[in-house]
Amino acid sequence: MRITTNMIMRNYQNNLYDNLGGLESARKQVESEQRVLSAYEDPGAAANASVIKHRYSHNEDYLNNLSSVDKWFMAQESALYQVGQIATQIGDQYGVEAATDTMSSEGRDTYAEQLRNLQNTMVQFMNSKFGDAFVLGGNTGTNEAPFELTDDGKLLYRGHDVDDPAVQAELDRLAAETSYVDIGYGMTFNGANIISSTALDGALPGINAVGYGLTADGTSKNLIVLAGQMADVLEADTFDRDEYEKLWTQFQEAANDLQDSLTQIGTKTNMVENTISKLEDEQIALQELLNDEIGIDPALAITNYSYAMYTYNSALKIGTGILGPSLLDFLA
């Protein structure tokens, strides 16, 4: 069989292209730190990697959700903590012992003014926002503050008087509002309703924290309303010690309920932080599984690339001997 120059040239070019393809593949392995770059190279590993990447992507979504929820709970906790501090201050400084029968009317008026200032401050904290949303407004999409203190001393929540028996059913509905977030517990629906144990409720209707409705004797259960009513008693021409003591006692009960709400938020925050830690550990494990399937040791990848570069350069040098000068080179 006669070997022609064209045959040598063709074989050389084919081998050179193969070397160049191997060099490019080795370069991509160094850059990506992946052994398998296309599914045809290792179908089994590529299929397993696809499943792992899918799980990794879902975990990443859950982590993003949890990060936002964690900040949301922190905003709720901060607002209620500030209200709780004011409640503690009122309990310590404005008890029955402080407002006595012997105190002058000017002194009681001063106490009343301070109570009203604290009352307004509590309303401001209850209307705290995180971004564009009110953190204690329940599941509402409006831009209106949930709490409003009217000039006649009424406290409105979402437009409803918190002490009005006529709207008790509506207040109960607002107090039961939820806003569930999928955090990787396998959120499940029962018809149109979410099964609460499979998701995290991020809503906190503020009236659950400061109270609403009336006691059996007609006393308000709301922390903020009670502060204003205590101020009313102090401003009266004749100080009614029994009435003030009744309001102050109920105020203390409402303050204890507020602390219970803070504890519930703390429990949710701990669960979120534990879930974040769990998902972060799982992300590390998934990354290790992915590396085992399609990854490549960086040192080995660099060695392969160096060998591919050496082979390609050697092929180029060989090519200079094969592709010698022709007659046309001397006629130029």
Side-chain angles (χ1 to χ4, degrees):
M1 176 180 174
R2 185 171 66 89
I3 300 176
T4 65
T5 302
N6 286 337
M7 292 174 61
I8 295 175
M9 290 283 296
R10 240 185 345 262
N11 287 335
Y12 170 74
Q13 288 177 343
N14 290 336
N15 291 332
L16 184 63
Y17 290 148
D18 288 342
N19 287 335
L20 183 59
L23 177 62
E24 178 64 11
S25 178
R27 181 187 67 79
K28 290 182 178 179
Q29 286 184 347
V30 172
E31 289 181 349
S32 65
E33 295 187 2
Q34 291 186 5
R35 174 180 60 84
V36 180
L37 301 173
S38 299
Y40 70 84
E41 297 175 350
D42 190 336
N48 292 337
S50 178
V51 174
I52 295 171
K53 287 179 179 178
H54 184 70
R55 288 176 56 190
Y56 190 94
S57 178
H58 271 286
N59 274 14
E60 200 165 34
D61 290 339
Y62 295 141
L63 280 171
N64 290 334
N65 286 345
L66 283 167
S67 178
S68 298
V69 170
D70 191 33
K71 293 175 183 176
W72 177 262
F73 283 155
M74 288 176 62
Q76 290 178 338
E77 188 173 18
S78 176
L80 289 188
Y81 175 79
Q82 296 298 334
V83 175
Q85 290 294 98
I86 294 174
T88 300
Q89 180 183 349
I90 293 175
D92 292 342
Q93 300 178 11
Y94 297 87
V96 181
E97 298 81 3
T100 62
D101 296 324
T102 58
M103 179 183 289
S104 65
S105 60
E106 292 81 4
R108 290 199 296 271
D109 287 344
T110 300
Y111 266 49
E113 182 180 359
Q114 293 171 347
L115 274 173
R116 296 200 189 283
N117 289 335
L118 293 173
Q119 182 188 34
N120 283 311
T121 303
M122 284 192 287
V123 173
Q124 293 173 8
F125 281 124
M126 294 301 295
N127 286 332
S128 296
K129 299 178 72 175
F130 177 72
D132 295 329
F134 293 95
V135 296
L136 300 175
N139 183 13
T140 176
T142 67
N143 294 323
E144 297 179 2
F147 288 93
E148 178 188 355
L149 187 63
T150 64
D151 293 336
D152 58 357
K154 294 180 180 179
L155 182 69
L156 307 182
Y157 178 75
R158 307 266 291 277
H160 303 286
D161 183 355
V162 298
D163 285 346
D164 186 356
V167 295
Q168 180 72 35
E170 178 62 15
L171 291 172
D172 289 339
R173 185 189 70 80
L174 294 175
E177 284 186 331
T178 57
S179 179
Y180 288 105
V181 181
D182 186 4
I183 58 171
Y185 289 162
M187 188 165 70
T188 306
F189 289 82
N190 182 13
N193 299 318
I194 297 175
I195 298 177
S196 60
S197 61
T198 63
L200 180 64
D201 182 14
L204 176 57
I207 51 174
N208 285 335
V210 293
Y212 66 98
L214 302 174
T215 64
D217 63 358
T219 305
S220 175
K221 296 180 181 179
N222 183 270
L223 189 75
I224 298 173
V225 172
L226 288 166
Q229 292 177 346
M230 288 165 64
D232 291 339
V233 174
L234 289 172
E235 290 174 338
D237 294 335
T238 302
F239 177 64
D240 188 338
R241 179 185 177 87
D242 292 338
E243 179 66 15
Y244 191 88
E245 184 173 5
K246 182 181 73 171
L247 293 173
W248 185 82
T249 301
Q250 184 60 41
F251 182 90
Q252 292 297 92
E253 291 185 16
N256 290 334
D257 292 339
L258 176 66
Q259 292 301 319
D260 291 340
S261 295
L262 270 171
T263 301
Q264 292 173 10
I265 295 177
T267 301
K268 288 184 177 181
T269 301
N270 288 337
M271 184 184 69
V272 168
E273 292 175 351
N274 290 336
T275 305
I276 288 175
S277 178
K278 169 182 170 293
L279 287 176
E280 287 176 342
D281 291 342
E282 189 170 343
Q283 289 294 79
I284 294 174
L286 288 172
Q287 186 62 58
E288 291 176 351
L289 284 175
L290 188 63
N291 289 337
D292 290 341
E293 288 291 343
I294 62 172
I296 187 171
D297 181 68
L300 177 60
I302 293 173
T303 300
N304 291 341
Y305 177 73
S306 298
Y307 180 76
M309 177 65 75
Y310 171 78
T311 304
Y312 179 68
N313 289 333
S314 298
L316 289 178
K317 291 179 181 179
I318 293 172
T320 59
I322 297 175
L323 304 176
S326 66
L327 179 60
L328 293 176
D329 293 322
F330 296 100
L331 295 178

